[in-house]
Structures are given as structure tokens and as C-alpha cells.
Amino acid sequence: MKLATLRDGSRDGCLHLISRDLTQMVCAADIAPTLQAAIERWGAVSFALQKRYEALNAGQLGHALAFDPHQAMAPLPRAWQWLDGSCFLNHADLMQRAYQLEPLDGIESIPLMYQGAGDDFLGATDDLALPSDAHGIDFEGEFGVLVDEVPMGCSADQALGHIRLLVQLNDVSLRALGPREMKTGFGFVQAKSSSSFAPVAVTPDELGDAWHEGRVHLPLSVEWNGEWFGHPHGGAMNFGFHELIAHAALTRRLSAGTVLGSGTVSNADRNVGSACIAERRAMEMLEQGAARTPFMRFGDRVRMEARDLQGQALFGAIDQRVVRAGI
């Protein structure tokens, strides 16, 4: 299934089913008014959602409407919990070497993760409104999952069964503010503004053979101001999403609707580029002695999109402009 949340004037929007080719939509509010409601009652509502989704794709619903991604909020506009990992160790290695940081003990066996703010997720075409472009504005292309309720102590094998939906996101970072917050040991606050999401969340079966081992085995294409920036492959995750879930649930249960991110998609192959500016700057520092690529400025645009094995857009595209807050 493919699901989206359309604007209706409320904080949580209205749940819609989206056709596989992302051209048509139909309201699903009579089955579940919001995506949060659907995730909380997945066992009770998923069959009805699936039947309507099949009818939509078969052209059997006369009341279907054209899908406009500009009218979409984030699939889950606000979440009880947002946990972001750093599951591509190539990215961590580049940062560690470029900035001469002390290596972290256990990084190859214990996932890195921080708890971010899930109360204000942005839609795919919403402006990224920020107070200053001196803060080192960076995009971070990621994949993510939405889970139903996960019990404390859930194993990685069991965790696979709790993954209900997959998402694509831009975890915006303010790099000039990050170093001090990392030194405190208390985690990110100012350095992480609201994350934005591609318009459509999909069930894992929509990926076909591209979903296995708890990983999205697809490239994530990133453009900055209309120019190619990278297309790193999601299959290079050193920890699968099931392992990320088990890590988070070691000492607590996870509420239905918890969102977990992969961290910046990153590959060791330099030919595939990057999914964030900081990584390109780290490579410049290592190879040329200094970072040459600037961070984003007001007026810049970033676009991110993943396509399935048949070349069909999967989640829809993130396409956003950076603007000064208040304008």
C-alpha cells in the first residue's frame, strides 16, 4: 500500500490511499482518520485499506481524485517519538578521519542513535524556514520506518514483524551548531531543525525484492540547485532497521507510530556521491586539505527521490527551498 496525509486544516491531516503510480488518490478517513490511528489499529484496519488500495489501482473507484503532492503533509505529521540512527559506518568513518575525532568504542556492534523532535515534521514541498544561513544548513537524505507497538526487549528477528511502513526523509542539520551540542553529551536540540518527508509512506511489500535484511536496497538520488549531488545505495546499511528497533527497545517499549531513521545514506564508492554536504566536505578535507563546498544558503533547493527496481517513483520526491524564517 501507499499512504499519504492530505491537508484538511487540522494538525494531523486526513489519511488517503495513493495509487502505485502516484497519480490517483482516495480518502481513507472512514477506515482510519489519520495515519497515527491506522498504525495504532493496524491489525484491525489494514485489510480494509488493502482492499481499497487494490480497487484504486484497478480503476474501480469512480470517486478517485488526482494526487497533488503539494497538498500532502508529512505522512505522519507528528510522531510520539522520532529516533535517528547513524547506520552507515562509511559516513561515521569519514567524519572521524576528516575532523580527527577519537574513534567510538563499539561503533561496529552497537548502533548510534539520538532522540529528536517529532512534533513538527514537514511536508515534501514545504519551505525549510530557518533563522540564519550562517548556521551551516545541510540536508541529509535518509530512509526510515514506522512501527506498531514494540515490546521492551524485542529481538531483532521479532522487530521485522513490527515494521509497518517505510518512508524517505531529509534530516536537516545545522552544522555550525552541532559541535558544541555533541561535546555536552546531552544530544542535539538547536542543531536539528524539523525533518521533512517524501509525501508517501509505503508498506514493505511495495519494494518487492528491494526490501530484504531490514534494508532498502535502492539508491537515493539527491540534487542540489538542480545539479546531481549523489545517488548512494541504501543497501549499504551496517545495521538493518530491525537491529535499530531492537537497540531502541532494549530498555523500553516503543509506542505505535514511532519513526526510526537510517542516518545519512552513505557508500564507500566515491563515484556515487553523497547524501549530505558534510560528507562531501569531509572528503575534500581528506583529499585536498580543506573543505571547498559551502553549506546551503537562502534560496537554495534540494531534491531527493528513490525509485523502485522498475524505475517507478516510490515515495514521491522531496523538493524544498531554504528560506529565512518569517518570510
Coordinates of all heavy atoms in Angstrom, one line a residue, residues 223-315:
E223 N 19.7 16.0 -5.5 CA 20.1 17.1 -6.4 C 20.1 18.3 -5.5 O 19.2 18.5 -4.7 CB 19.1 17.3 -7.5 CG 19.1 16.2 -8.5 CD 18.1 16.4 -9.7 OE1 17.4 17.5 -9.6 OE2 18.0 15.5 -10.5
W224 N 21.1 19.2 -5.8 CA 21.2 20.5 -5.1 C 21.2 21.6 -6.1 O 22.1 21.6 -7.0 CB 22.4 20.5 -4.2 CG 22.7 21.7 -3.4 CD1 21.8 22.7 -3.2 CD2 23.9 22.1 -2.8 NE1 22.4 23.7 -2.4 CE2 23.7 23.3 -2.1 CE3 25.2 21.4 -2.6 CZ2 24.7 23.9 -1.4 CZ3 26.2 22.1 -1.9 CH2 25.9 23.3 -1.3
N225 N 20.2 22.5 -6.0 CA 20.1 23.5 -7.0 C 20.1 23.0 -8.5 O 20.7 23.5 -9.4 CB 21.1 24.6 -6.8 CG 20.9 25.4 -5.6 OD1 19.8 25.5 -5.1 ND2 22.0 25.8 -5.0
G226 N 19.4 21.9 -8.7 CA 19.2 21.3 -10.0 C 20.4 20.5 -10.5 O 20.3 20.0 -11.6
E227 N 21.4 20.3 -9.7 CA 22.6 19.6 -10.1 C 22.7 18.3 -9.3 O 22.5 18.3 -8.1 CB 23.9 20.4 -10.0 CG 23.9 21.6 -10.9 CD 25.2 22.4 -10.8 OE1 26.1 22.0 -10.1 OE2 25.4 23.4 -11.6
W228 N 23.2 17.2 -9.9 CA 23.4 16.0 -9.3 C 24.4 16.1 -8.1 O 25.4 16.8 -8.2 CB 24.0 14.9 -10.2 CG 24.3 13.6 -9.6 CD1 23.5 12.6 -9.4 CD2 25.6 13.2 -9.1 NE1 24.2 11.5 -8.9 CE2 25.5 11.9 -8.7 CE3 26.9 13.9 -9.1 CZ2 26.6 11.2 -8.1 CZ3 27.9 13.2 -8.5 CH2 27.8 11.9 -8.1
F229 N 24.0 15.5 -7.0 CA 24.9 15.6 -5.8 C 25.3 14.2 -5.4 O 26.4 14.0 -4.9 CB 24.2 16.3 -4.6 CG 25.1 16.7 -3.5 CD1 25.8 17.8 -3.6 CD2 25.3 15.8 -2.4 CE1 26.7 18.2 -2.6 CE2 26.2 16.2 -1.4 CZ 26.9 17.4 -1.5
G230 N 24.4 13.2 -5.6 CA 24.8 11.8 -5.3 C 23.6 10.9 -5.5 O 22.4 11.3 -5.6
H231 N 23.9 9.6 -5.5 CA 22.9 8.6 -5.5 C 23.4 7.3 -4.7 O 23.4 6.2 -5.3 CB 22.5 8.2 -6.9 CG 23.6 7.7 -7.8 ND1 24.3 8.5 -8.6 CD2 24.1 6.4 -8.0 CE1 25.2 7.8 -9.2 NE2 25.1 6.5 -8.9
P232 N 23.7 7.5 -3.5 CA 24.2 6.4 -2.6 C 23.1 5.3 -2.4 O 21.9 5.7 -2.4 CB 24.6 7.0 -1.3 CG 23.8 8.3 -1.3 CD 23.7 8.8 -2.7
H233 N 23.5 4.1 -2.2 CA 22.6 3.0 -2.1 C 22.3 2.6 -0.7 O 23.1 2.5 0.2 CB 23.3 1.8 -2.8 CG 22.3 0.7 -3.2 ND1 21.9 -0.3 -2.4 CD2 21.7 0.5 -4.4 CE1 21.0 -1.1 -3.0 NE2 20.9 -0.6 -4.3
G234 N 21.0 2.4 -0.4 CA 20.5 2.2 0.9 C 20.9 0.8 1.4 O 20.8 0.5 2.6
G235 N 21.2 -0.1 0.5 CA 21.6 -1.5 1.0 C 22.9 -1.6 1.7 O 23.2 -2.6 2.3
A236 N 23.6 -0.5 1.8 CA 24.9 -0.5 2.5 C 24.8 -0.2 4.0 O 25.9 -0.1 4.6 CB 25.9 0.6 1.8
M237 N 23.6 -0.2 4.5 CA 23.5 0.0 6.0 C 24.2 -1.1 6.7 O 24.1 -2.3 6.4 CB 22.0 -0.1 6.4 CG 21.1 1.1 6.1 SD 19.4 0.8 6.5 CE 19.5 0.9 8.3
N238 N 25.0 -0.7 7.7 CA 25.8 -1.7 8.5 C 24.9 -2.3 9.6 O 25.1 -3.4 10.1 CB 27.0 -1.0 9.2 CG 28.0 -0.6 8.2 OD1 27.9 0.5 7.5 ND2 29.0 -1.4 8.0
F239 N 23.8 -1.6 9.9 CA 22.8 -2.2 10.8 C 21.4 -2.0 10.1 O 21.1 -1.0 9.6 CB 22.7 -1.4 12.1 CG 24.0 -1.4 12.9 CD1 24.8 -0.3 12.8 CD2 24.3 -2.4 13.8 CE1 26.0 -0.3 13.6 CE2 25.5 -2.4 14.5 CZ 26.3 -1.3 14.4
G240 N 20.7 -3.1 10.0 CA 19.3 -3.1 9.4 C 18.4 -2.4 10.4 O 18.6 -2.2 11.5
F241 N 17.2 -2.0 9.8 CA 16.2 -1.4 10.7 C 15.7 -2.3 11.8 O 15.4 -1.8 12.9 CB 15.0 -0.9 9.8 CG 15.2 0.3 9.0 CD1 15.3 0.3 7.6 CD2 15.4 1.5 9.7 CE1 15.6 1.5 6.9 CE2 15.6 2.7 9.0 CZ 15.7 2.7 7.6
H242 N 15.7 -3.6 11.6 CA 15.3 -4.5 12.7 C 16.3 -4.4 13.8 O 15.9 -4.4 15.0 CB 15.1 -5.9 12.2 CG 16.4 -6.5 11.5 ND1 17.1 -5.8 10.5 CD2 17.0 -7.6 11.7 CE1 18.1 -6.5 10.1 NE2 18.1 -7.6 10.8
E243 N 17.6 -4.2 13.5 CA 18.6 -4.1 14.6 C 18.5 -2.8 15.3 O 18.7 -2.6 16.5 CB 20.0 -4.3 14.0 CG 20.2 -5.7 13.4 CD 21.4 -5.8 12.6 OE1 21.5 -5.1 11.6 OE2 22.3 -6.7 12.9
L244 N 18.1 -1.7 14.5 CA 17.9 -0.4 15.1 C 16.8 -0.4 16.1 O 16.8 0.2 17.1 CB 17.7 0.6 13.9 CG 18.0 2.1 14.2 CD1 19.5 2.3 14.5 CD2 17.6 2.9 12.9
I245 N 15.7 -1.1 15.7 CA 14.5 -1.2 16.6 C 14.8 -1.9 17.8 O 14.5 -1.5 18.9 CB 13.3 -1.9 15.8 CG1 12.9 -1.0 14.6 CG2 12.2 -2.2 16.8 CD1 12.0 -1.8 13.6
A246 N 15.5 -3.1 17.7 CA 15.9 -3.8 18.9 C 16.8 -3.0 19.8 O 16.7 -3.1 21.1 CB 16.6 -5.1 18.4
H247 N 17.7 -2.2 19.2 CA 18.5 -1.4 20.1 C 17.7 -0.4 20.9 O 17.9 -0.2 22.1 CB 19.5 -0.6 19.2 CG 20.4 0.4 19.9 ND1 21.4 0.1 20.7 CD2 20.2 1.8 20.0 CE1 22.0 1.2 21.2 NE2 21.3 2.2 20.8
A248 N 16.7 0.3 20.2 CA 15.9 1.3 20.9 C 15.0 0.7 21.9 O 14.7 1.3 22.9 CB 15.1 2.0 19.8
A249 N 14.6 -0.6 21.7 CA 13.6 -1.2 22.6 C 14.3 -2.0 23.7 O 13.6 -2.7 24.5 CB 12.7 -2.1 21.8
L250 N 15.6 -1.9 23.9 CA 16.3 -2.7 24.9 C 15.7 -2.5 26.3 O 15.5 -3.4 27.0 CB 17.8 -2.4 24.8 CG 18.6 -3.2 25.9 CD1 18.6 -4.7 25.6 CD2 20.1 -2.7 25.9
T251 N 15.4 -1.2 26.6 CA 15.0 -0.9 28.0 C 13.7 -0.2 28.1 O 13.3 0.3 29.1 CB 16.1 0.0 28.6 OG1 16.2 1.2 27.9 CG2 17.4 -0.6 28.7
R252 N 12.9 -0.2 26.9 CA 11.6 0.5 27.0 C 10.8 0.0 25.8 O 11.4 -0.5 24.8 CB 11.7 2.0 26.9 CG 12.5 2.5 25.7 CD 12.6 4.0 25.6 NE 13.6 4.4 24.6 CZ 13.8 5.7 24.3 NH1 13.0 6.6 24.8 NH2 14.7 6.0 23.4
R253 N 9.5 0.1 25.8 CA 8.7 -0.3 24.7 C 8.6 1.0 23.8 O 8.8 2.1 24.3 CB 7.3 -0.7 25.1 CG 6.5 0.3 25.8 CD 5.1 -0.3 26.3 NE 4.3 0.7 27.0 CZ 3.1 0.5 27.5 NH1 2.6 -0.8 27.4 NH2 2.5 1.4 28.1
L254 N 8.3 0.7 22.5 CA 8.2 1.8 21.6 C 6.7 2.0 21.2 O 6.1 1.0 20.8 CB 9.0 1.6 20.3 CG 10.5 1.2 20.5 CD1 11.1 1.0 19.1 CD2 11.2 2.3 21.3
S255 N 6.2 3.2 21.3 CA 4.8 3.4 21.0 C 4.5 3.2 19.5 O 5.4 3.5 18.7 CB 4.4 4.8 21.4 OG 4.5 5.0 22.8
A256 N 3.3 2.8 19.2 CA 2.9 2.7 17.8 C 3.0 4.1 17.1 O 2.6 5.1 17.7 CB 1.5 2.2 17.7
G257 N 3.6 4.1 16.0 CA 3.9 5.4 15.3 C 5.3 5.9 15.5 O 5.6 7.0 15.0
T258 N 6.1 5.3 16.3 CA 7.5 5.7 16.5 C 8.2 5.6 15.1 O 8.0 4.7 14.3 CB 8.2 4.8 17.4 OG1 7.7 4.9 18.8 CG2 9.7 5.1 17.5
V259 N 8.9 6.7 14.8 CA 9.7 6.7 13.5 C 11.1 6.6 13.8 O 11.7 7.2 14.7 CB 9.4 8.1 12.8 CG1 10.1 8.1 11.4 CG2 7.9 8.4 12.7
L260 N 11.8 5.7 13.0 CA 13.2 5.5 13.2 C 13.9 5.7 11.8 O 13.4 5.2 10.8 CB 13.5 4.1 13.6 CG 13.0 3.7 15.0 CD1 11.7 2.9 14.9 CD2 14.0 2.9 15.8
G261 N 15.0 6.5 11.8 CA 15.7 6.9 10.6 C 17.0 6.1 10.5 O 17.6 5.7 11.5
S262 N 17.5 6.0 9.3 CA 18.7 5.2 9.0 C 19.9 6.0 9.2 O 21.0 5.4 9.4 CB 18.7 4.8 7.5 OG 18.8 5.9 6.7
G263 N 19.8 7.3 9.3 CA 21.0 8.2 9.2 C 21.4 8.4 7.7 O 20.8 7.7 6.8
T264 N 22.3 9.3 7.5 CA 22.6 9.6 6.1 C 23.1 8.4 5.3 O 24.0 7.7 5.7 CB 23.8 10.6 6.1 OG1 23.5 11.8 6.9 CG2 24.2 11.1 4.7
V265 N 22.4 8.2 4.1 CA 22.8 7.1 3.3 C 24.2 7.4 2.7 O 24.4 8.5 2.2 CB 21.8 7.0 2.1 CG1 22.2 5.8 1.2 CG2 20.4 6.7 2.7
S266 N 25.1 6.5 2.9 CA 26.5 6.7 2.5 C 27.1 5.4 2.0 O 27.0 4.4 2.6 CB 27.2 7.2 3.8 OG 28.6 7.4 3.5
N267 N 27.9 5.6 1.0 CA 28.6 4.5 0.4 C 30.1 4.7 0.3 O 30.5 5.9 0.1 CB 28.1 4.2 -1.1 CG 26.7 3.7 -1.1 OD1 26.1 3.6 -2.2 ND2 26.0 3.5 0.0
A268 N 30.9 3.7 0.4 CA 32.4 3.9 0.3 C 32.8 4.2 -1.2 O 33.9 4.9 -1.4 CB 33.1 2.6 0.7
D269 N 32.0 3.9 -2.2 CA 32.3 4.2 -3.6 C 32.2 5.7 -3.8 O 31.0 6.2 -3.7 CB 31.4 3.4 -4.5 CG 31.6 3.7 -6.0 OD1 32.5 4.5 -6.3 OD2 30.9 3.0 -6.8
R270 N 33.2 6.4 -4.0 CA 33.2 7.9 -4.2 C 32.4 8.3 -5.5 O 31.9 9.4 -5.6 CB 34.6 8.4 -4.3 CG 35.4 8.2 -3.0 CD 34.9 9.0 -1.9 NE 35.8 8.9 -0.7 CZ 35.6 8.0 0.3 NH1 34.5 7.2 0.3 NH2 36.4 8.0 1.3
N271 N 32.3 7.3 -6.4 CA 31.6 7.7 -7.7 C 30.1 7.9 -7.5 O 29.5 8.5 -8.4 CB 31.8 6.6 -8.7 CG 33.3 6.5 -9.2 OD1 33.9 7.5 -9.3 ND2 33.8 5.3 -9.3
V272 N 29.5 7.4 -6.4 CA 28.1 7.6 -6.2 C 27.7 8.9 -5.5 O 26.6 9.2 -5.3 CB 27.5 6.4 -5.5 CG1 27.7 5.1 -6.2 CG2 28.0 6.3 -4.0
G273 N 28.7 9.7 -5.1 CA 28.5 10.9 -4.5 C 28.0 10.7 -3.0 O 28.2 9.7 -2.4
S274 N 27.3 11.8 -2.5 CA 26.9 11.8 -1.1 C 25.4 12.2 -1.0 O 24.8 12.7 -1.9 CB 27.7 12.7 -0.3 OG 29.1 12.3 -0.4
A275 N 24.9 12.0 0.2 CA 23.5 12.4 0.5 C 23.5 13.6 1.5 O 22.5 14.0 2.0 CB 22.7 11.3 1.0
C276 N 24.7 14.1 1.8 CA 24.8 15.3 2.7 C 26.0 16.1 2.3 O 27.0 15.5 1.8 CB 24.7 15.0 4.2 SG 26.2 14.3 4.8
I277 N 26.0 17.4 2.6 CA 27.1 18.3 2.2 C 28.3 18.0 3.1 O 29.5 18.0 2.7 CB 26.7 19.8 2.4 CG1 25.6 20.1 1.4 CG2 27.9 20.7 2.1 CD1 24.9 21.4 1.6
A278 N 28.1 17.7 4.4 CA 29.2 17.5 5.4 C 30.1 16.4 4.9 O 31.3 16.4 5.1 CB 28.6 17.2 6.8
E279 N 29.5 15.3 4.3 CA 30.3 14.2 3.8 C 31.2 14.6 2.6 O 32.3 14.3 2.6 CB 29.4 13.1 3.4 CG 30.1 11.8 3.1 CD 29.2 10.6 3.0 OE1 28.6 10.2 4.0 OE2 29.1 10.0 1.9
R280 N 30.6 15.4 1.7 CA 31.5 15.9 0.6 C 32.6 16.8 1.2 O 33.7 16.7 0.7 CB 30.6 16.7 -0.4 CG 31.5 17.3 -1.5 CD 30.7 18.1 -2.5 NE 30.0 17.2 -3.4 CZ 29.3 17.7 -4.5 NH1 29.3 19.0 -4.7 NH2 28.7 16.9 -5.3
R281 N 32.3 17.6 2.1 CA 33.3 18.5 2.7 C 34.4 17.6 3.4 O 35.6 18.0 3.3 CB 32.7 19.4 3.7 CG 31.9 20.6 3.0 CD 31.1 21.3 4.1 NE 31.9 21.9 5.1 CZ 32.4 23.1 5.1 NH1 32.2 23.9 4.0 NH2 33.1 23.6 6.1
A282 N 34.0 16.5 4.1 CA 35.0 15.7 4.7 C 35.9 15.0 3.7 O 37.1 15.0 3.9 CB 34.2 14.6 5.5
M283 N 35.4 14.6 2.6 CA 36.2 14.0 1.5 C 37.2 15.1 0.9 O 38.3 14.8 0.7 CB 35.3 13.4 0.4 CG 34.6 12.2 0.8 SD 33.8 11.3 -0.5 CE 32.3 12.3 -0.7
E284 N 36.7 16.3 0.8 CA 37.6 17.4 0.3 C 38.7 17.6 1.3 O 39.9 17.9 0.9 CB 36.8 18.7 0.1 CG 35.8 18.6 -1.1 CD 34.8 19.7 -1.1 OE1 34.7 20.4 -0.1 OE2 34.2 19.9 -2.2
M285 N 38.4 17.6 2.6 CA 39.4 17.8 3.6 C 40.5 16.7 3.6 O 41.7 17.0 3.7 CB 38.8 17.9 5.0 CG 37.9 19.1 5.2 SD 36.9 19.0 6.7 CE 38.2 19.1 8.0
L286 N 40.0 15.5 3.3 CA 41.0 14.4 3.3 C 41.8 14.3 2.0 O 43.0 13.9 2.0 CB 40.2 13.0 3.5 CG 39.6 12.8 4.8 CD1 38.6 11.6 4.8 CD2 40.6 12.6 5.9
E287 N 41.2 14.7 0.9 CA 41.8 14.6 -0.4 C 42.5 15.9 -0.8 O 43.5 15.8 -1.6 CB 40.8 14.2 -1.4 CG 40.2 12.8 -1.1 CD 39.0 12.5 -2.0 OE1 38.7 13.3 -2.9 OE2 38.4 11.4 -1.8
Q288 N 42.0 17.1 -0.4 CA 42.5 18.3 -0.9 C 43.1 19.2 0.2 O 43.6 20.3 0.0 CB 41.5 19.1 -1.6 CG 40.9 18.3 -2.8 CD 39.7 19.0 -3.4 OE1 39.7 20.2 -3.6 NE2 38.7 18.2 -3.8
G289 N 42.9 18.8 1.5 CA 43.5 19.5 2.6 C 42.5 20.6 3.2 O 42.8 21.1 4.3
A290 N 41.4 20.8 2.5 CA 40.4 21.8 3.0 C 39.1 21.6 2.4 O 39.0 21.1 1.3 CB 40.9 23.3 2.7
A291 N 38.0 22.0 3.1 CA 36.7 21.9 2.6 C 36.4 23.0 1.7 O 36.8 24.2 2.0 CB 35.7 21.9 3.8
R292 N 35.8 22.7 0.5 CA 35.6 23.8 -0.5 C 34.1 24.0 -0.8 O 33.7 25.1 -1.2 CB 36.3 23.4 -1.8 CG 37.8 23.1 -1.6 CD 38.5 22.8 -2.9 NE 39.9 22.4 -2.7 CZ 40.9 23.3 -2.6 NH1 40.6 24.6 -2.6 NH2 42.1 22.9 -2.4
T293 N 33.3 23.0 -0.5 CA 31.9 23.1 -0.8 C 31.2 23.9 0.3 O 31.3 23.4 1.5 CB 31.2 21.7 -1.0 OG1 31.9 21.1 -2.1 CG2 29.8 21.9 -1.3
P294 N 30.5 24.9 0.1 CA 29.8 25.7 1.1 C 28.5 24.9 1.5 O 28.0 24.0 0.8 CB 29.4 27.0 0.5 CG 29.3 26.7 -0.9 CD 30.3 25.6 -1.2
F295 N 27.9 25.3 2.7 CA 26.6 24.8 3.1 C 25.5 25.6 2.3 O 25.8 26.5 1.6 CB 26.5 24.9 4.6 CG 27.3 23.9 5.3 CD1 28.4 24.3 6.1 CD2 27.1 22.5 5.2 CE1 29.2 23.4 6.8 CE2 27.9 21.6 5.9 CZ 29.0 22.0 6.7
M296 N 24.3 25.2 2.6 CA 23.2 25.8 1.8 C 23.0 27.3 2.3 O 23.2 27.7 3.4 CB 21.9 25.0 2.1 CG 22.0 23.6 1.6 SD 20.4 22.7 1.8 CE 19.5 23.2 0.4
R297 N 22.4 28.0 1.3 CA 22.1 29.4 1.5 C 20.6 29.6 1.3 O 20.0 28.8 0.6 CB 22.9 30.4 0.6 CG 24.4 30.3 0.8 CD 24.8 30.8 2.2 NE 26.2 30.9 2.4 CZ 26.8 31.2 3.5 NH1 26.1 31.5 4.6 NH2 28.1 31.3 3.6
F298 N 20.1 30.7 1.8 CA 18.7 31.0 1.5 C 18.4 31.1 0.0 O 19.2 31.7 -0.8 CB 18.2 32.3 2.1 CG 18.2 32.3 3.7 CD1 18.7 33.3 4.4 CD2 17.7 31.1 4.3 CE1 18.7 33.3 5.8 CE2 17.7 31.1 5.7 CZ 18.2 32.1 6.4
G299 N 17.4 30.5 -0.5 CA 17.1 30.4 -1.9 C 17.5 29.1 -2.6 O 17.1 28.8 -3.7
D300 N 18.4 28.3 -1.9 CA 18.8 27.0 -2.4 C 17.6 26.1 -2.4 O 16.7 26.2 -1.6 CB 19.9 26.5 -1.6 CG 21.3 27.1 -1.9 OD1 21.3 28.1 -2.7 OD2 22.3 26.7 -1.4
R301 N 17.7 25.1 -3.3 CA 16.7 24.0 -3.4 C 17.4 22.6 -3.2 O 18.5 22.5 -3.7 CB 15.9 24.0 -4.7 CG 15.1 25.2 -4.9 CD 14.1 25.0 -6.1 NE 13.0 24.2 -5.6 CZ 11.9 24.6 -5.1 NH1 11.7 25.9 -4.9 NH2 10.9 23.8 -4.7
V302 N 16.8 21.7 -2.6 CA 17.2 20.3 -2.5 C 16.1 19.4 -3.0 O 14.9 19.6 -2.6 CB 17.7 20.0 -1.1 CG1 16.6 20.1 -0.1 CG2 18.3 18.6 -1.1
R303 N 16.5 18.4 -3.7 CA 15.5 17.4 -4.2 C 16.1 16.0 -3.9 O 17.2 15.7 -4.2 CB 15.2 17.6 -5.7 CG 14.1 16.7 -6.2 CD 13.9 17.0 -7.7 NE 12.6 16.5 -8.2 CZ 12.4 15.2 -8.5 NH1 13.4 14.3 -8.5 NH2 11.2 14.8 -8.9
M304 N 15.2 15.1 -3.4 CA 15.6 13.8 -3.1 C 14.5 12.8 -3.6 O 13.3 13.1 -3.4 CB 15.8 13.6 -1.6 CG 16.8 14.5 -1.0 SD 16.8 14.2 0.8 CE 18.2 15.3 1.3
E305 N 14.9 11.7 -4.2 CA 13.9 10.8 -4.7 C 14.5 9.4 -4.8 O 15.6 9.2 -5.2 CB 13.4 11.2 -6.1 CG 12.2 10.3 -6.6 CD 11.7 10.8 -8.0 OE1 12.6 11.1 -8.8 OE2 10.5 11.0 -8.1
A306 N 13.7 8.4 -4.4 CA 14.1 7.0 -4.6 C 13.1 6.3 -5.6 O 11.9 6.6 -5.5 CB 14.1 6.2 -3.3
R307 N 13.6 5.5 -6.5 CA 12.7 4.8 -7.4 C 12.9 3.3 -7.2 O 14.0 2.8 -6.8 CB 13.1 5.1 -8.9 CG 12.8 6.6 -9.2 CD 13.1 7.0 -10.6 NE 12.6 8.3 -10.9 CZ 11.4 8.6 -11.4 NH1 10.6 7.6 -11.7 NH2 11.0 9.8 -11.6
D308 N 11.8 2.5 -7.5 CA 11.9 1.1 -7.3 C 12.7 0.4 -8.4 O 13.2 1.0 -9.3 CB 10.5 0.5 -7.1 CG 9.6 0.7 -8.4 OD1 10.2 0.9 -9.5 OD2 8.4 0.6 -8.3
L309 N 12.7 -0.9 -8.4 CA 13.5 -1.7 -9.3 C 13.0 -1.6 -10.7 O 13.7 -1.8 -11.7 CB 13.6 -3.1 -8.9 CG 14.3 -3.4 -7.5 CD1 14.2 -4.9 -7.2 CD2 15.7 -3.0 -7.6
Q310 N 11.7 -1.1 -10.9 CA 11.2 -0.9 -12.2 C 11.3 0.5 -12.7 O 10.9 0.9 -13.8 CB 9.7 -1.3 -12.3 CG 9.5 -2.8 -12.2 CD 9.8 -3.4 -10.8 OE1 9.4 -2.8 -9.8 NE2 10.5 -4.5 -10.8
G311 N 12.0 1.4 -11.9 CA 12.2 2.8 -12.2 C 11.0 3.7 -11.9 O 11.0 4.9 -12.2
Q312 N 10.0 3.1 -11.1 CA 8.8 3.9 -10.7 C 9.1 4.7 -9.4 O 9.7 4.1 -8.5 CB 7.6 3.0 -10.5 CG 6.4 3.7 -9.9 CD 5.8 4.6 -10.9 OE1 5.5 4.3 -12.0 NE2 5.4 5.8 -10.4
A313 N 8.8 6.0 -9.4 CA 8.9 6.7 -8.2 C 8.2 6.0 -7.0 O 7.0 5.6 -7.2 CB 8.3 8.1 -8.4
L314 N 8.8 5.8 -5.9 CA 8.3 5.0 -4.8 C 7.6 5.8 -3.8 O 6.5 5.5 -3.4 CB 9.5 4.2 -4.2 CG 9.2 3.2 -3.2 CD1 8.3 2.1 -3.8 CD2 10.5 2.5 -2.7
F315 N 8.3 6.8 -3.2 CA 7.7 7.6 -2.1 C 7.3 9.0 -2.6 O 6.7 9.8 -1.8 CB 8.8 7.8 -1.0 CG 9.4 6.6 -0.5 CD1 10.6 6.1 -1.0 CD2 8.8 5.9 0.5 CE1 11.2 5.0 -0.5 CE2 9.4 4.8 1.1 CZ 10.6 4.3 0.6

